[in-house]
């Protein structure tokens, strides 16, 4: 018989896989649509400031801070319109209950924890090569490129050490709904919505489409926008289309029917009615006035 009882290893956190590991250089006007997925996501700000919207609470993340988004949680990030920023985003799969301690907290990463994170990134190079460094905000699929002995296991070890160093520390802020956070969330949502409408001005988008895209009810969608802009959402979108229509008419490259099709209208009659309601004249009358 053994003289001593074995010391069993408690695996309080088990990581099944890493899904994405990316480094983004974000422009000062970067925005991200609200997202939700089945895995954990860690966002570490390396440079600049990033506004994080998570679970209805908004907060500004500064350089050296990190936040964790649990599975199935709606979240988004947007630049503060003032400076560009750089962020490290790591997504991973874990069913461990202990990770819930990371929720609704923003951690200020200490120098010791930063060294651990650096060791993790160094080991990543052995397993998957250089980390993607882009401005798109679109993650890249991970591919094992080399057979370095123990590379992926060491990645797990260093990342676990990093997580434990955060859980053991008291260097964090608890996310709470305050007037400031409410304003951040509201403004962030409105800015995302505005950018999305501008990017899709040539499409026929309904309120139902927007609700699905932003994962929000129609009443909440309309109220948030009305509080932000003072006008109805559909009215705002139509006005955007009419401003674009006027620019296209002045440019003179397309006829009225082609402009109607380009802006996503089913019929030229519908387009003409919308244009006259917005400008007080028909598209043809407007064309004559500017010519």
């Amino acid at each position: 018989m053994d003289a001593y009882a074995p010391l069993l290893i408690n695996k309080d956190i088990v990581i099944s896989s890493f899904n994405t590991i990316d480094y983004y250089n974000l422009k000062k006007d970067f925005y991200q649509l609200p997202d939700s997925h089945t895995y954990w996501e860690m966002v570490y700000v390396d440079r600049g400031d990033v506004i994080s919207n998570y679970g209805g609470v908004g907060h500004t993340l500064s350089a050296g801070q990190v936040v964790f988004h649990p599975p199935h949680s709606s979240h988004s990030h947007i630049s503060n319109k003032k400076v560009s920023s750089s962020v490290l985003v790591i997504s991973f799969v874990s069913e461990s209950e202990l990770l819930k301690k990371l929720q609704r907290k923003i951690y200020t990463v200490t120098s010791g924890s930063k060294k651990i994170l650096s060791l993790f990134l160094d080991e990543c190079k052995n397993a998957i090569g250089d980390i993607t460094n882009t401005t798109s905000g679109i993650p890249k699929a991970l591919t094992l490129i080399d057979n370095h002995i123990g590379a992926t296991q060491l990645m797990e070890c260093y990342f676990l050490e990093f997580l434990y160093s955060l859980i053991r520390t008291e260097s964090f802020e608890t996310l709470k709904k305050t007037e400031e956070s409410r304003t951040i969330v509201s403004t962030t949502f409105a800015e995302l919505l505005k950018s999305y409408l501008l990017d899709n001005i040539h499409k026929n988008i309904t309120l139902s489409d927007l609700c699905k895209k932003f994962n929000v009810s129609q009443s909440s969608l309309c109220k948030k926008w009305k509080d932000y802009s003072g006008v109805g959402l559909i009215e705002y979108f139509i006005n955007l289309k009419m401003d674009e229509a006027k620019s296209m008419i002045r440019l003179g490259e397309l006829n009225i029917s082609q402009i109607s099709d380009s802006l996503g209208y089913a019929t030229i009659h519908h387009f003409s009615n919308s244009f006259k309601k917005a400008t007080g004249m028909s598209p043809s009358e407007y064309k004559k006035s500017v010519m």
Side-chain angles (χ1 to χ4, degrees):
M1 294 181 62
D2 293 333
Y4 304 99
L7 177 64
L8 300 179
I9 298 175
N10 294 325
K11 296 186 178 181
D12 295 313
I13 300 176
V14 176
I15 295 175
S16 304
S17 65
F18 291 103
N19 291 32
T20 61
I21 304 172
D22 298 286
Y23 189 88
Y24 300 114
N25 291 311
L26 306 177
K27 297 180 180 179
K28 61 182 180 180
D29 59 349
F30 170 82
Y31 72 93
Q32 174 197 32
L33 291 174
D35 191 18
S36 177
H37 37 65
T38 59
Y39 44 80
W40 281 87
E41 181 180 291
M42 183 194 93
V43 179
Y44 171 76
V45 181
D46 190 33
R47 178 178 61 84
D49 293 326
V50 174
I51 298 173
S52 175
N53 176 9
Y54 160 45
V57 179
H59 196 98
T60 298
L61 302 177
S62 300
Q65 293 187 316
V66 64
V67 69
F68 291 83
H69 302 303
H72 308 292
S73 63
S74 178
H75 58 274
S76 63
H77 297 92
I78 185 170
S79 296
N80 63 3
K81 308 295 183 184
K82 298 177 182 178
V83 296
S84 58
S85 57
S86 299
V87 298
L88 171 68
V89 180
I90 301 173
S91 64
F92 58 97
V93 175
S94 177
E95 303 293 333
S96 303
E97 287 291 312
L98 186 62
L99 286 178
K100 290 183 178 180
K101 287 184 174 291
L102 298 172
Q103 295 181 133
R104 295 191 174 277
K105 294 176 182 176
I106 291 180
Y107 290 88
T108 298
V109 182
T110 64
S111 58
S113 295
K114 286 181 182 179
K115 290 179 181 178
I116 299 170
L117 188 58
S118 294
L119 291 173
F120 166 80
L121 294 174
D122 287 341
E123 200 58 46
C124 285
K125 294 181 181 179
N126 289 331
I128 62 174
D130 291 332
I131 305 300
T132 303
N133 191 335
T134 69
T135 60
S136 67
I138 301 175
K140 178 183 177 183
L142 300 182
T143 303
L144 190 66
I145 64 167
D146 208 338
N147 191 26
H148 282 74
I149 295 175
T152 55
Q153 190 174 15
L154 282 172
M155 283 172 59
E156 179 195 23
C157 290
Y158 288 132
F159 194 66
L160 285 174
E161 187 178 2
F162 178 72
L163 295 179
Y164 284 126
S165 71
L166 296 180
I167 291 173
R168 287 182 172 186
T169 186
E170 295 184 355
S171 300
F172 65 82
E173 301 174 53
T174 302
L175 289 175
K176 296 179 180 179
K177 286 189 177 181
T178 61
E179 183 60 30
E180 179 186 10
S181 71
R182 189 198 67 79
T183 301
I184 289 175
V185 170
S186 177
T187 303
T188 300
F189 180 85
E191 291 291 337
L192 292 174
L193 184 54
K194 181 193 291 186
S195 296
Y196 182 77
L197 292 176
L198 284 170
D199 291 343
N200 293 275
I201 196 171
H202 293 278
K203 296 180 181 179
N204 180 22
I205 297 176
T206 66
L207 284 176
S208 179
D209 296 330
L210 293 173
C211 290
K212 291 178 181 178
K213 187 70 178 180
F214 288 87
N215 192 28
V216 66
S217 69
Q218 184 169 314
S219 59
S220 179
L221 175 74
C222 294
K223 184 180 185 308
K224 287 180 178 180
W225 178 259
K226 192 71 176 288
D227 290 344
Y228 172 78
S229 67
V231 300
L233 182 55
I234 294 301
E235 178 186 354
Y236 175 81
F237 191 41
I238 291 174
N239 288 336
L240 283 181
K241 284 179 176 288
M242 294 307 101
D243 287 341
E244 180 68 7
K246 287 188 285 186
S247 296
M248 295 172 76
I249 290 174
R250 290 194 298 270
L251 191 60
E253 294 181 351
L254 300 176
N255 61 40
I256 303 301
S257 179
Q258 291 171 325
I259 292 173
S260 173
D261 291 339
S262 174
L263 290 172
Y265 281 89
T267 66
I268 191 172
H269 178 70
H270 186 196
F271 167 71
S272 296
N273 284 343
S274 296
F275 191 93
K276 188 167 186 178
K277 185 177 180 180
T279 65
M281 62 182 74
S282 69
S284 298
E285 291 171 338
Y286 180 81
K287 184 176 182 178
K288 289 179 182 179
S289 71
V290 296
M291 291 302 178

